[in-house]
């Protein structure tokens, strides 16, 4: 179809890693294992936070949201990647590309806000433990989680709707997913409005939440160092260490992708970062939180014990 001198594309080709055909099978196995581990780990974490009454606390409410977000985030792009790694014709419909772009942006943006909310939760728990049940009551936690989802969803809607209106002079996306920056490289002309929207949203959702997290942890660290008991210090460090590990992994990858000069770095490097950011980080989240957290390990053991006893009774 023609629209003036510009073509309106019905589908896109995804370049992916087709320049390295020998690597595609290895990448398929790596991505599949990571994806299945992500689904299993995050689903288990959601399940135990629902089933175990001891885990119905603000921290686990936010953690359940984070796990659900990671499942949605990986499911938006990894199945397409897996199919394309094995097929010669690496295509995606325009509508599929739009949905993929929106979901990736929405989940990624929501996670930026949610990680800041989780840092505030840890700040209140450690710095104001006596007032914690009052400050972080159920209604406040639900409102904070809802605000995170609303912020991510609306900013993604804004970015996606503007990106889809930019005239494109090609349909070969040099990426394995419909990542917004890779799609915009096909634009026939640079759009100042689109560049401004991306910059403003990136600044609002990356450096600002990260600054709030850093401020929270300055107060948290100073409070932990004043705790007299070694056991209390160890427990506080363990919980906060898990959150900080996730923050460093997530924001490190996001900042290197969205707040760098457009000309710097190769597209291949961006693909590798996107793969780690989109596959490895969501897989590591439940592992980091469960391995560093006695409550989660106890809940998993309890759930496995119940399943085992139920299975035994069925065979008797």
């Amino acid at each position: 179809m023609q629209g003036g001198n510009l073509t309106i594309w019905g589908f896109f080709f995804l370049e992916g890693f087709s320049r390295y055909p020998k690597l595609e099978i290895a990448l398929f196995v790596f991505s599949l294992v990571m994806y299945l581990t992500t689904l299993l780990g995050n689903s288990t974490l959601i399940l135990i936070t629902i089933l175990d009454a001891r885990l119905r606390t603000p921290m686990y409410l936010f953690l359940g949201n984070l796990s659900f977000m990671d499942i949605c985030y990986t499911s938006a792009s990894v199945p397409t990647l897996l199919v394309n790694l094995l097929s010669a014709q690496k295509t995606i419909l325009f509508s599929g590309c739009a949905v993929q772009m929106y979901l990736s942006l929405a989940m990624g943006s929501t996670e930026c806000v949610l990680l800041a909310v989780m840092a505030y939760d840890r700040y209140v728990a450690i710095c104001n433990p006596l007032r914690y049940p009052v400050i972080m009551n159920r209604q406040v936690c639900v409102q904070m989680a809802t605000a995170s989802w609303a912020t991510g969803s609306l900013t993604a809607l804004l970015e996606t709707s503007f990106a889809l209106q930019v005239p494109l002079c090609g349909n070969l996306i040099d990426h394995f997913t419909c990542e917004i920056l890779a799609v915009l490289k096909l634009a026939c002309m640079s759009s100042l409005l689109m560049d401004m929207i991306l910059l403003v949203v990136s600044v609002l959702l990356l450096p600002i939440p990260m600054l709030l997290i850093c401020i929270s942890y300055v107060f948290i660290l100073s409070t932990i160092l004043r705790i007299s008991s070694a056991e209390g210090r160890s427990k506080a460090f363990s919980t906060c260490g898990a959150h900080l590990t996730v923050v460093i992994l997530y924001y490190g990858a996001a900042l290197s992708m969205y707040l760098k000069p457009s000309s710097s770095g190769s597209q291949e490097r961006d693909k590798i970062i996107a793969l780690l950011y989109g596959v490895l980080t969501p897989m590591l989240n439940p592992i980091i939180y469960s391995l560093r957290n006695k409550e989660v390990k106890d809940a998993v053991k309890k759930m496995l014990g119940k399943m085992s006893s139920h299975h035994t009774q069925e065979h008797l």
Side-chain angles (χ1 to χ4, degrees):
M1 291 186 293
Q2 294 296 321
N5 294 324
L6 307 171
T7 305
I8 300 167
W9 304 103
F11 64 91
F12 293 100
F13 291 101
L14 292 167
E15 177 83 23
F17 298 96
S18 54
R19 290 172 199 164
Y20 312 98
K22 291 178 183 176
L23 273 179
E24 287 191 312
I25 296 297
L27 284 169
F28 174 83
V29 174
F30 168 79
S31 302
L32 181 62
V33 170
M34 297 294 110
Y35 182 52
L36 293 176
T37 310
T38 297
L39 293 181
L40 178 64
N42 286 292
S43 300
T44 303
L45 208 48
I46 292 168
L47 196 61
I48 60 170
T49 55
I50 293 168
L51 297 178
D52 198 309
R54 292 172 302 170
L55 301 184
R56 284 173 198 157
T57 62
M59 187 174 94
Y60 293 104
L61 169 72
F62 297 135
L63 199 51
N65 273 268
L66 185 67
S67 290
F68 179 69
M69 214 173 292
D70 284 338
I71 290 171
C72 294
Y73 185 76
T74 51
S75 297
S77 57
V78 176
T80 305
L81 168 65
L82 293 172
V83 170
N84 286 342
L85 282 170
L86 295 182
S87 64
Q89 193 83 327
K90 305 173 195 301
T91 58
I92 186 169
L93 290 172
F94 179 84
S95 56
C97 190
V99 170
Q100 199 176 71
M101 187 192 296
Y102 173 76
L103 284 175
S104 297
L105 285 169
M107 297 306 115
S109 302
T110 303
E111 189 156 336
C112 288
V113 182
L114 191 68
L115 288 173
V117 167
M118 289 171 77
Y120 176 73
D121 172 66
R122 292 299 82 211
Y123 160 74
V124 178
I126 292 166
C127 301
N128 292 289
L130 298 177
R131 294 182 61 212
Y132 181 72
V134 178
I135 297 171
M136 297 300 289
N137 62 63
R138 183 80 184 174
Q139 187 182 354
V140 168
C141 293
V142 170
Q143 286 172 348
M144 290 172 92
T146 305
S148 301
W149 282 97
T151 304
S153 301
L154 291 172
T155 52
L157 186 63
L158 177 72
E159 289 176 295
T160 307
S161 57
F162 274 94
L164 295 177
Q165 290 174 40
V166 174
L168 304 178
C169 286
N171 66 339
L172 176 63
I173 299 171
D174 191 7
H175 212 287
F176 62 83
T177 182
C178 284
E179 197 270 326
I180 190 167
L181 297 179
V183 173
L184 289 174
K185 283 184 178 176
L186 300 176
C188 300
M189 61 197 82
S190 62
S191 167
L192 183 61
L193 178 61
M194 189 69 236
D195 291 344
M196 287 301 296
I197 288 169
L198 282 174
L199 180 63
V200 170
V201 171
S202 297
V203 169
L204 286 174
L205 295 178
L206 288 169
I208 292 176
M210 201 169 180
L211 179 63
L212 294 173
I213 291 168
C214 291
I215 292 167
S216 296
Y217 274 94
V218 167
F219 286 108
I220 287 168
L221 195 60
S222 64
T223 305
I224 289 173
L225 294 172
R226 290 200 299 270
I227 296 173
S228 54
S229 73
E231 189 185 342
R233 274 201 305 273
S234 174
K235 188 178 178 184
F237 268 125
S238 178
T239 308
C240 295
H243 183 239
L244 268 181
T245 307
V246 171
V247 166
I248 291 164
L249 282 169
Y250 187 80
Y251 279 99
L255 285 166
S256 67
M257 281 176 66
Y258 291 101
L259 281 181
K260 65 174 175 62
S262 56
S263 59
S264 74
S266 70
Q267 186 63 18
E268 299 307 309
R269 192 203 70 160
D270 286 354
K271 288 182 206 174
I272 297 297
I273 291 171
L275 189 64
L276 296 175
Y277 171 80
V279 179
L280 194 61
T281 311
M283 185 210 73
L284 288 175
N285 282 355
I287 295 171
I288 290 165
Y289 279 107
S290 56
L291 289 179
R292 300 289 297 270
N293 200 307
K294 187 176 181 295
E295 291 168 323
V296 173
K297 283 189 275 191
D298 289 345
V300 171
K301 284 176 189 172
K302 184 179 169 185
M303 188 175 76
L304 291 174
K306 279 183 179 178
M307 287 168 66
S308 177
S309 62
H310 180 70
H311 186 70
T312 306
Q313 284 171 9
E314 281 185 341
H315 281 75
L316 290 175

